[in-house]
Amino acid sequence: ITSPLTDWFSTLPFVCLQDQYLDKMSLQMTSEFQHILRVLNTNIDGKRKSMFAMTKIIGIGKRFSNLICKKAEVDVDRRAGTMSNEEIEKLVAIINNPRQFKVPDWFVNRQRDFVTGKTSQCVINVLIAAVRGDIERMKKIRVHRGIRHYWGHRVRGQHTVSTGRKGKVLGMPGGANAAK
């Protein structure tokens, strides 16, 4: 069977490089391959590489995903659909208790929680509730950030003269004809 891809490879001078490139490019699907994994109440695409597939979980970014894959001894270049249940369970254990696996405190996303004083990695609903609670606390004690949240203005110091108008009419009042 010939295709444009194999025809292009036939023009290359080194046959051994062709085979290596085709092996890396192809997606090996066996009977154990899972197209969709369910991890921490999140659907993960099995066709993506394991490191990038884990970033689909809210509260896990690229760097933390890379770290947990290395701690769980999961190959970051392997597809997520080829991971075994034991590997997934180990990843979940590391996400839930990163300090037990010697993940530094500065690496987690919830350091010195205001209420509990603990450092932990929050994911999905816990993270959403924690951020919502922080915003409500800021509104309650009337700090500058809380007041900006309450008003619906930009919070992080952005310029607001010409951007972020949220549907207000631009231009002159009364339209262009009113100026004449």
Side-chain angles (χ1 to χ4, degrees):
I1 299 172
T2 62
S3 70
L5 188 62
T6 55
D7 291 342
W8 179 76
F9 276 121
S10 64
T11 61
L12 293 176
F14 302 106
V15 177
C16 60
L17 290 178
Q18 294 176 15
D19 297 336
Q20 290 174 358
Y21 188 74
L22 284 174
D23 287 341
K24 282 191 174 190
M25 224 173 73
S26 64
L27 177 62
Q28 306 290 330
M29 288 193 198
T30 61
S31 59
E32 297 88 26
F33 186 83
Q34 295 176 317
H35 289 279
I36 296 175
L37 295 125
R38 189 81 175 159
V39 179
L40 293 173
N41 296 329
T42 305
N43 292 334
I44 292 178
D45 186 14
K47 290 181 258 181
R48 296 183 77 186
K49 293 188 177 182
S50 59
M51 183 183 117
F52 295 104
M54 295 301 289
T55 61
K56 191 79 168 165
I57 300 170
I58 295 172
I60 296 179
K62 289 179 191 174
R63 293 191 66 209
F64 191 74
S65 176
N66 188 15
L67 179 77
I68 62 173
C69 286
K70 287 180 180 176
K71 293 279 184 186
E73 297 174 357
V74 173
D75 186 18
V76 292
D77 290 329
R78 215 171 84 199
R79 304 287 173 177
T82 60
M83 289 194 296
S84 66
N85 288 335
E86 294 81 24
E87 290 172 329
I88 294 171
E89 289 171 8
K90 188 156 187 180
L91 286 171
V92 170
I94 294 171
I95 292 169
N96 289 333
N97 303 309
R99 295 181 88 185
Q100 290 180 354
F101 294 91
K102 297 180 180 172
V103 175
D105 286 346
W106 55 265
F107 218 100
V108 297
N109 64 1
R110 192 81 179 155
Q111 299 169 11
R112 294 184 307 279
D113 187 24
F114 186 78
V115 178
T116 62
K118 294 182 180 178
T119 299
S120 64
Q121 177 74 17
C122 295
V123 290
I124 308 186
N125 295 336
V126 178
L127 180 63
I128 294 168
V131 171
R132 188 180 302 124
D134 289 345
I135 292 171
E136 291 302 320
R137 180 179 52 81
M138 286 188 283
K139 287 179 186 177
K140 183 179 176 184
I141 63 175
R142 306 288 291 172
V143 295
H144 184 260
R145 280 181 64 191
I147 293 169
R148 300 289 291 185
H149 274 292
Y150 179 75
W151 287 338
H153 288 281
R154 301 284 171 102
V155 177
R156 297 185 178 179
Q158 298 96 323
H159 289 277
T160 56
V161 173
S162 61
T163 62
R165 301 197 180 193
K166 289 191 188 173
K168 294 179 184 172
V169 178
L170 297 176
M172 297 170 52
N177 293 332
K180 292 180 181 178

